[in-house]
Amino acid sequence: MTEVKKIVEREVLMNGTQAVAHAAMYADVDVVAAYPIRPYTEVMDTISKLIADGELDAEFIVAEGEHGQFETVKHASLVGARTLVGSSGVGWLYAMEAIVVTATDRAPVVAIIGNRALDDPGAYGVEHNDALMVRDVGWLLAWVDTAQEAFDTTLIAYKVAEDQRVLLPVGISMDGGFLTHSEQIVRLPPRELVKDFLPPYNRGKYLVHPDNPITVAPQVNEDWVMEIRRQHEEAMERARGVISEAYESFKKVFGRYPGSTAEIQMPENPFVEPYMIDDAEVVIIGMGTVSKPIKVAIKNMRRQGYKVGMLRLRWFRPFPTQDVIKYLSNSKVVCVIDRDYSMGSPNRGGVIYHEIRSALYDLDQRPKVMNFIGGLGGREITIQDVEKIIKIGYEHRDTPITKPVYWVGVRGDPW
Amino acid sequence: MVEKEIEEKVYKSIIKTIKDVPLEEFYTSGHRTCQGCESALVMRFLAKAAGPRTIVIGATGCMYVANTTYYTTSWIVPWVHTQLGGSGAAVLGTAAALRALMRKGKIKQEPINVIAFCGDLGCADMGLSGVSNAMTYDYNLLIILYDNESSANTDIQETSMTPYGAQTSFSRPGKERRIMKRRWKKNVVSMIIAGHRNVKYAATMTPAYPLDSMNKIRKALSIGGPTFIHSLDPCPKGWDYDPKFSHELGVLAVETGLWPLYEYINGEIVYNEPTKSIVEGRMKRKPVKEYLEKQGRFSHFTEEDIEYVQKMVDEMYEEWEIPGVMPIKSINVKISD
């Protein structure tokens, strides 16, 4: 008979950033590099207090800027330390050079991005363009929806990033304000269990140490860049399998699927969260906390007879192409809500819109794809907005699309 | 550690004569630096002086481009690249990680030297804020600024380290304006010692004085905490002279007083080599003309320009509170009676 472990989880009220800080504490991080920018900052506020209270034994570096912040953790990671870093908006972009080499040096850093609009004009609210800037440089990118998911995904991020088959940094995005600053109940597992889930970081033969005198990132000029990029991409591909394994392992160790709580039961798919999608003719796609108004709107519209569902992307890199195909191939219209925009892009739409269109291109029976740009700079996407989106999508089940991209709720622009 | 213990440790680390220099090389063949490259000597000295229990971090610069070509690395100790402006943060991250890992028993407890080297841009220009930040922490680390007075791997461009009037591809003398570089060289060691209280050791050096250079690296590493060395490295390509004169120019830079050699140890300034004699009045400074006229980058100088440089150097020694170090003029403070 197998032994049944009784897992007693502690329920604590905390916001998304605090949840991440606690997960990092559970993961026993060694080096943390901080630099302030709203709205991610509270991750570091919390970590600093945890260190001061003796809950966590780690070096806390206050950098001179985001570039230094990311260089610090990159080098700490190369000598074998588990690290935490993060930023928001233009701060994240200020670090871009260091962010790129973190991935190319294969340093499994975990970063928290509290999504924020890019300057100018200055704004604190959420917009996904900041994190999406790194979509092409080899970071694994996850988008979380609840504080619970933030906590669980952080633990998973370390497990995936430090896996010898991957060794890539992970960025965990959360909506500024909506998740970084809203408190929810988070179930914290017993600390001892985390040890069963997360092995110590072992950099193996790539460890920088006098006992292992390797040269890291020498100049290759035109000779080897192709091979290195290809290896990088192969690691990214391997990460798909490693992510799935990590979710299974999480379930086995903690007795629940990542992101699930007593109230919320997550469907068992690491990459996407499908919602009422099985018979849906119209599917709404989004990332992060926009799922809340979407879910409510879907319930309302279902009552009125609309066959509508949702697919929320939990991981953006590697992109869940197969899952997207699986869940969307039977739908008629796909409405992508982008909390970002790609200026001058092929169809004048957002980033996710183009990714989804690309993922569906090879299907013989392609659903129509529409784009709704909304919630930029922290503007709320309301339930009424989503209901309107659903109606627009529904109208186009059998009629051709004349206007593929809508801007949701822009002043003076009836949509 | 008690101050006396530190003093003893520093004293023990000093190499007495050139015969006592370790034979082992930790920066060896495989590099592609130019003939007569003095910065390559700095790399060699730092690796030799620091020994095998060392991690070296190199910022982008000519010493990255020339030293670590894939498959032919010249480093026997572990070496890691950092971005142009990243040295301060990189050295901080490495030192912090080693401390955390040792404290938590994840790696063996032992002293490991952490050294970053960076050039003009990586240390004095875009990297300065990071270097300054590293100097505010109490980790054991050393940052070396190898200063060849230009951006040397991108075809000799002007930096804040380029001396007054020197010709670079960003400061070319022309028909209308003879002197394009009108800024005076930034005084980096003074900035470090004036602005960072927990720096116990900072120094200037030039590889023309090998023993002095290696001992400065040894002292910096053994005294502990954040430390800083600024090395003036004559560069045949950038300064436009025959590679065989590299050492001679290093010596002339010191003897003309343009490049004073000194150490800052626990709040005190100690002068070394000829600078000591100059400051103590036992040796006369050579005219700067001797130094300037040997380099093609100053070939457009007129007598007037040379006089101007001479005047500025004279001022360094005759009017500054600490000769050649701090650009603060002496004033006779009268205490009212």
Side-chain angles (χ1 to χ4, degrees), chain A residues 30-33 59-64 67-84 109 208, chain B residues 55 57 80 82 86-101 107 114-116 130 133-135 137 139-141 143:
Chain A
D30 303 305
V31 175
V32 182
E59 297 295 305
F60 190 78
I61 304 280
V62 180
E64 84 287 356
H67 187 279
Q69 200 189 351
F70 280 77
E71 279 287 335
T72 298
V73 290
K74 176 191 117 194
H75 285 265
S77 181
L78 295 177
V79 295
R82 184 169 283 163
T83 57
L84 180 75
V109 165
V208 173
Chain B
I55 294 172
I57 294 152
V80 191
T82 184
S87 343
V91 82
L92 207 49
T94 308
L98 291 177
R99 181 183 287 181
L101 293 170
I107 58 169
V114 180
I115 306 174
N133 198 47
M135 291 296 137
Y137 275 87
Y139 297 107
N140 296 330
L141 51 90
I143 296 177

Side-chain angles (χ1 to χ4, degrees), chain B residues 71-242:
Chain B
Y71 280 166
T72 64
T73 180
S74 37
W75 293 96
I76 288 172
V77 289
W79 182 94
V80 191
H81 173 233
T82 184
Q83 295 308 108
L84 192 51
S87 343
V91 82
L92 207 49
T94 308
L98 291 177
R99 181 183 287 181
L101 293 170
M102 285 179 195
R103 183 179 62 231
K104 292 162 102 173
K106 293 183 182 179
I107 58 169
K108 201 180 87 198
Q109 191 100 31
E110 61 165 330
I112 294 176
N113 301 319
V114 180
I115 306 174
F117 64 81
C118 35
D120 297 30
L121 305 173
C123 192
D125 292 347
M126 75 152 37
L128 186 61
S129 65
V131 169
S132 166
N133 198 47
M135 291 296 137
T136 61
Y137 275 87
D138 65 344
Y139 297 107
N140 296 330
L141 51 90
L142 165 62
I143 296 177
I144 296 184
L145 162 54
Y146 71 94
D147 170 13
N148 43 31
E149 305 199 319
S150 69
S151 168
N153 63 306
T154 45
D155 204 20
I156 316 300
Q157 280 83 18
E158 174 190 321
T159 70
S160 70
M161 292 286 96
T162 305
Y164 172 85
Q167 180 176 346
T168 68
S169 59
F170 277 0
S171 55
R172 298 158 185 258
K175 283 176 197 153
E176 281 293 310
R177 294 167 69 181
R178 193 177 67 256
I179 304 291
M180 282 293 283
K181 161 86 193 201
R182 306 199 70 88
R183 305 182 281 158
W184 202 257
K185 191 178 168 90
K186 211 187 264 179
N187 196 340
V188 185
V189 177
S190 291
M191 284 168 74
I192 298 287
I193 59 186
H196 306 84
R197 276 195 81 155
N198 54 339
V199 173
K200 292 201 284 269
Y201 188 89
T204 59
M205 65 175 242
T206 180
Y209 299 90
L211 209 55
D212 178 67
S213 302
M214 273 186 270
N215 276 333
K216 280 173 174 166
I217 291 158
R218 284 268 180 108
K219 282 186 204 170
L221 292 172
S222 54
I223 206 163
T227 50
F228 186 84
I229 295 176
H230 185 169
S231 173
L232 180 78
D233 305 352
C235 168
K237 182 185 166 196
W239 298 11
D240 191 10
Y241 63 84
D242 191 297

Side-chain angles (χ1 to χ4, degrees), chain B residues 243-258:
Chain B
K244 70 181 174 191
F245 295 121
S246 285
H247 263 46
E248 192 184 325
L249 277 169
V251 170
L252 272 174
V254 177
E255 289 183 347
T256 54
L258 264 162

Side-chain angles (χ1 to χ4, degrees), chain A residues 260-278:
Chain A
S260 298
T261 57
E263 293 78 35
I264 307 160
Q265 279 312 310
M266 247 330 150
E268 300 200 356
N269 185 321
F271 294 99
V272 292
E273 185 201 353
Y275 181 79
M276 293 193 176
I277 205 169
D278 293 336

